[in-house]
Amino acid sequence: MTERIAELRRFFVEQRAHHAARQPARDAQELARIFAQGAAPDVQRAAQRHSRMLALEMPVIFPQERLVFTRTNPTLLALFTPQEMDALRRAHTLHEQGEVCNICVDYTRLMDVGLQAAKDSLLQRAQHEHGEKAAYLRLQADILTAILELARRYHDLAVQEGRDDIARMLSRVPAYAPSTFPEALQMFRILHFAMWLGGNYHNTVGRFDQFMYPYFAADMQSGLLSRDAALEWIQEFFLTFNRDSDLYSGMQQGDNGQSLMLGGLNPDGTDSSNELTELCLTASLKLRLIDPKINLRVHKNTPLSLYRLGSELTRQGLGFPQYANDEVVIPALIRYGYEPADAYNYTVAACWEFIIPGRGMDIPNIGAISLAGAVQQAVAQELMACDTFDDLLQAVRRNIHEQVHSTLDSLCNVYLFPAPYLSLMMDGCAQAGQDVSLGCKYNNYGLHGTGLSTAVDALAAVRAWVYGDGSIAKQQLLNALATDYADCPDLLARLRFDAPKMGNNDPLADDLAVLLLDAFADAVDGLRNERGGIIRAGTGSAMYYLWHANDLPATADGRRAGEALAANYSPSLFARLKGPVSILQSFAKPDLGRVCNGGPLTLELHDTMLRNDQAVAKVAQLVKSYMDMGGHQLQLNAINRDTLLEARENPGAHRNLIVRVWGWSGYFVELDPEYQDHIISRTEHAV
């Protein structure tokens, strides 16, 4: 990287010197109390809060930066008082914080025309409408006015400070459509920045190398940009994602949803990757930052060079790219009812769930079921009554079905706060003057399925030794589970280490994974949510791999009560595995297109496996092999247990140590202890 980029990295990431420009924290309830007194409609509240947040920002320009807009107000104003929130929760299901989140807008809807033209269009349409619709259009125009006003204040500051380069940029964007690649980067920064100020979080970037490519290609062709100059602009652009991320909502620091998708399959079978794809991978490789989180769509025609670049990122310990297999995902989305053109344009949500930019108001992480819990319940409560192993499997299927239905029954009457600004960039909502919180073209729900490997391993042990050779009596196993293996250490060790395990390419375990995931897919098949969407089953876990484990009693695979489940679609934490190839073979066997809400196979590779170029090439081939086998998603962690233990004891010396947590990468020393412990335990079985 250039010295200028290195200095910006030190300033924003290592020193965090820009925090000095932040204002003191405000009273978050300031507006909520005013709204409550006047009983303002929710959509009016959302728009007025957004405009107020934009007005509170104080422009600031830092030395050497060329792309501006940095948060100075750290406080997100509340829409509702605590009393109002309590009433909303009694009347509705509020997903997460209640805000529209975890979607991907179509940024080109505003980039292609500029905010001034978009605002003028809204006001013209409002003149021909009446009542609530006319008022809604004017509220949207007010938000654009507030964004334009903030940009004007930035422009005036640039003039005042003699930054003619920034002033020229802001005289064009965001009021008008960008005419160059740098202007397009600046406009995206402004659009994305404004989302967070509207309370909308986990705003993913989408297919950056596709919608930004026309600007890039035009500048390269005209000679306005060289490859090195373009790379420097991309690196500075990537740095903007790391300025304010500590202010973004998430389960843990780093869980901010800034996912960027690259590559992919065109409808004609050709590869869509381009020079911008390669430059984005290179920029991330050089910067070594957790944001933006890189995702790479691959297929049978993906150049091996992209796999190699992706493996170089893994080598740096970034925990990404996360790979998605178009050969599995696109047909699955079409079977779910997505139009082919939309399916070919898919991206990912904050972690790994598949969504459609600008057209999906899917809630792909609305809940989760415990596959391990379904098996544990069947064994603990029905084993004695099950004469055959097939009888036990039927009990497991019933438990999965009941979990699905009880989970969905608890999610009725979902309410999302209005998001008038996001609605401008969603197809159908923009034209109809309808808020995206009420729905869009696609309104599907996604359910995670946790603890698959624990469920498989438990069933495999029961089949082999209870119903198979009879070496473990039913009552013996039930007594051990009831006492958490307190008085039977030999049985605990036998179940934990000697029974068949998923991840060893062992059909005695792997065929059970096929059955369980099919049962999950069958349980959601044909179901509809209250918004008219379908229910998608998935192999991801999100944070539920810890939450579900906390309440799960001992299981028949030798796991004791409260011990963690594997994250996402992964082998058990104490499985003795043959190696990475056997893991890929096991986890590619199910029909993953049936459980295609998303959820990657997550592998921990010891960092010694990536010490040289030859090793990187082998890892690239390993990734490609899994996709060729029919895997749907894959993410790799290159870590060293000794380094992690040292970082936990001496965090100051390892502040930049990055790990993959579940669907996102974060700084290890900033994680809560329970997440640190889980990652360390995963390294004990590194491949």
Side-chain angles (χ1 to χ4, degrees):
M1 69 182 77
T2 65
E3 179 53 37
R4 190 183 69 85
I5 295 298
E7 179 56 35
L8 287 174
R9 189 187 189 283
R10 284 191 291 270
F11 183 87
F12 287 114
V13 180
E14 297 172 16
Q15 300 170 357
R16 302 181 184 181
H18 62 297
H19 287 190
R22 289 181 178 174
Q23 309 166 38
R26 295 177 177 274
D27 178 5
Q29 293 293 324
E30 168 198 341
L31 277 182
R33 287 191 292 269
I34 297 172
F35 289 149
Q37 293 169 7
D42 295 357
V43 68
Q44 181 181 333
R45 293 183 181 213
Q48 290 181 344
R49 174 183 68 170
H50 203 164
S51 295
R52 176 66 173 154
M53 288 292 297
L54 288 157
L56 288 173
E57 280 298 313
M58 297 189 306
V60 57
I61 298 174
F62 298 104
Q64 300 197 55
E65 71 171 344
R66 297 180 299 185
L67 297 174
V68 294
F69 273 61
T70 299
R71 282 276 296 273
T72 59
N73 172 28
T75 306
L76 176 66
L77 301 176
L79 276 183
F80 302 101
T81 65
Q83 295 76 20
E84 289 175 322
M85 286 295 295
D86 288 343
L88 280 172
R89 290 191 179 97
R90 287 192 296 270
H92 300 276
T93 295
L94 295 186
H95 177 58
E96 295 187 357
Q97 301 174 30
E99 307 278 4
V100 173
C101 63
N102 218 22
I103 67 172
C104 183
V105 301
D106 178 2
Y107 298 94
T108 66
R109 297 191 67 86
L110 291 179
M111 289 184 69
D112 286 352
V113 297
L115 299 193
Q116 187 61 54
K119 172 188 168 182
D120 292 344
S121 175
L122 289 168
L123 294 176
Q124 290 172 7
R125 289 167 55 197
Q127 293 178 0
H128 302 286
E129 299 290 350
H130 303 281
E132 293 182 0
K133 188 170 182 179
Y136 182 75
L137 295 171
R138 292 190 182 96
L139 288 171
Q140 288 181 308
D142 289 344
I143 296 172
L144 296 187
T145 297
I147 298 173
L148 288 167
E149 171 58 22
L150 179 57
R152 184 197 62 77
R153 288 187 280 130
Y154 262 98
H155 171 273
D156 292 349
L157 178 62
V159 172
Q160 177 183 330
E161 296 189 356
R163 291 300 307 271
D164 294 341
D165 54 339
I166 294 174
R168 282 194 301 272
M169 186 105 72
L170 294 178
S171 67
R172 178 91 194 160
V173 295
Y176 308 104
S179 59
T180 66
F181 184 60
E183 288 178 2
L185 295 176
Q186 178 63 80
M187 185 158 188
F188 182 96
R189 170 61 181 167
I190 295 171
L191 297 179
H192 195 253
F193 176 91
M195 288 183 188
W196 294 99
L197 294 183
N200 305 111
Y201 58 98
H202 284 173
N203 306 305
T204 69
V205 179
R207 303 187 68 195
F208 180 80
D209 61 342
Q210 303 303 304
F211 65 79
M212 281 288 188
Y213 184 72
Y215 302 103
F216 168 82
D219 283 6
M220 293 292 286
Q221 186 174 2
S222 68
L224 286 177
L225 276 182
S226 65
R227 184 186 185 281
D228 288 345
L231 177 60
E232 186 172 359
W233 276 108
I234 295 167
Q235 288 175 326
E236 181 171 353
F237 176 68
F238 281 8
L239 278 167
T240 66
F241 290 90
N242 297 271
R243 295 184 187 183
D244 315 317
S245 55
D246 62 306
L247 302 177
Y248 300 162
S249 303
M251 288 296 301
Q252 291 279 285
Q253 184 60 42
D255 176 25
N256 52 49
Q258 297 185 117
S259 295
L260 183 148
M261 179 64 80
L262 299 171
L265 183 66
N266 290 319
D268 63 1
T270 58
D271 179 59
S272 69
S273 64
N274 52 53
E275 189 177 0
L276 183 55
T277 311
E278 184 265 334
L279 283 175
C280 287
L281 292 169
T282 301
S284 186
L285 178 64
K286 301 295 185 182
L287 287 170
R288 298 183 63 182
L289 297 172
I290 62 173
D291 289 305
K293 296 162 178 68
I294 304 297
N295 294 263
L296 188 59
R297 282 177 48 174
V298 295
H299 52 92
K300 64 183 180 181
N301 293 325
T302 296
L304 189 58
S305 60
L306 281 187
Y307 285 105
R308 286 287 302 270
L309 262 177
S311 299
E312 286 286 356
L313 284 173
T314 301
R315 181 185 191 178
Q316 297 298 324
L318 298 176
F320 55 72
Q322 179 173 249
Y323 300 88
N325 187 358
D326 286 3
E327 308 285 352
V328 174
V329 177
I330 292 172
L333 292 175
I334 293 172
R335 286 196 298 270
Y336 281 146
Y338 294 86
E339 290 185 7
D342 293 333
Y344 274 90
N345 195 39
Y346 81 88
T347 187
V348 290
C351 291
W352 19 250
E353 304 94 338
F354 302 117
I355 57 175
I356 311 301
R359 297 193 171 190
M361 187 52 254
D362 297 336
I363 307 179
N365 62 337
I366 199 165
I369 71 160
S370 173
L371 297 170
V375 171
Q376 191 279 336
Q377 181 183 357
V379 171
Q381 298 180 10
E382 302 190 53
L383 181 64
M384 295 300 294
C386 293
D387 295 330
T388 68
F389 184 68
D390 283 344
D391 292 339
L392 185 65
L393 287 179
Q394 286 301 320
V396 172
R397 291 189 183 97
R398 287 195 299 272
N399 291 342
I400 291 173
H401 185 275
E402 289 172 4
Q403 277 197 57
V404 165
H405 282 265
S406 64
T407 299
L408 293 175
D409 287 345
S410 71
L411 298 171
C412 59
N413 201 15
V414 172
Y415 173 75
L416 297 171
F417 301 166
Y421 172 63
L422 264 61
S423 303
L424 291 170
M425 294 176 279
M426 300 296 289
D427 187 38
C429 299
Q431 297 92 323
Q434 173 179 300
D435 197 86
V436 67
S437 63
L438 302 176
C440 200
K441 183 175 182 179
Y442 302 111
N443 302 286
N444 303 320
Y445 290 170
L447 290 179
H448 305 318
T450 65
L452 174 68
S453 55
T454 294
V456 167
D457 295 351
L459 284 175
V462 170
R463 180 169 63 179
W465 293 334
V466 176
Y467 289 98
D469 63 14
S471 59
I472 299 176
K474 289 182 178 180
Q475 193 60 57
Q476 178 189 7
L477 177 61
L478 293 177
N479 290 341
L481 295 176
T483 61
D484 199 23
Y485 296 102
D487 301 319
C488 43
D490 292 342
L491 179 59
L492 172 66
R494 185 184 180 197
L495 291 169
R496 186 180 285 244
F497 300 119
D498 298 335
K501 301 294 181 183
M502 186 180 184
N504 280 323
N505 194 26
D506 184 348
L508 295 178
D510 298 345
D511 64 346
L512 295 170
V514 175
L515 290 173
L516 286 173
L517 289 182
D518 280 346
F520 188 15
D522 291 341
V524 304
D525 189 35
L527 298 182
R528 290 276 172 179
N529 62 41
E530 61 191 7
R531 294 178 170 227
I534 65 166
I535 313 300
R536 307 186 323 193
T539 52
S541 66
M543 59 283 176
Y544 293 98
Y545 69 95
L546 292 182
W547 292 1
H548 283 171
N550 289 337
D551 299 324
L552 186 64
T555 49
D557 61 330
R559 177 194 149 276
R560 305 188 75 174
E563 286 189 317
L565 302 170
N568 297 324
Y569 186 55
S570 308
S572 165
L573 295 182
F574 45 77
R576 290 176 173 171
L577 303 173
K578 297 176 182 177
V581 174
S582 67
I583 296 174
L584 300 185
Q585 290 170 329
S586 286
F587 282 81
K589 290 178 182 177
D591 181 357
L592 295 167
R594 297 199 68 207
V595 284
C596 217
N597 185 62
L601 169 59
T602 304
L603 290 182
E604 271 66 44
L605 303 180
H606 197 280
D607 60 7
T608 55
M609 289 189 65
L610 291 142
R611 287 282 169 85
N612 55 56
D613 292 343
Q614 184 179 8
V616 169
K618 289 181 179 179
V619 170
Q621 191 60 56
L622 189 73
V623 174
K624 186 178 186 304
S625 296
Y626 182 60
M627 299 306 171
D628 291 344
M629 292 176 197
H632 61 332
Q633 276 183 306
L634 177 68
Q635 60 185 18
L636 303 174
N637 238 347
I639 47 182
N640 184 305
R641 186 173 187 271
D642 291 338
T643 302
L644 296 177
L645 291 171
E646 182 182 331
R648 189 165 63 178
E649 295 301 318
N650 186 14
H654 296 273
R655 186 169 169 270
N656 294 320
L657 179 61
I658 296 171
V659 293
R660 193 72 171 177
V661 186
W662 61 77
W664 49 275
S665 296
Y667 294 108
F668 178 79
V669 299
E670 294 180 348
L671 301 176
D672 287 348
E674 60 183 339
Y675 293 102
Q676 290 183 343
D677 291 344
H678 193 278
I679 292 166
I680 290 171
S681 70
R682 278 148 47 178
T683 68
E684 294 177 359
H685 306 279
V687 296

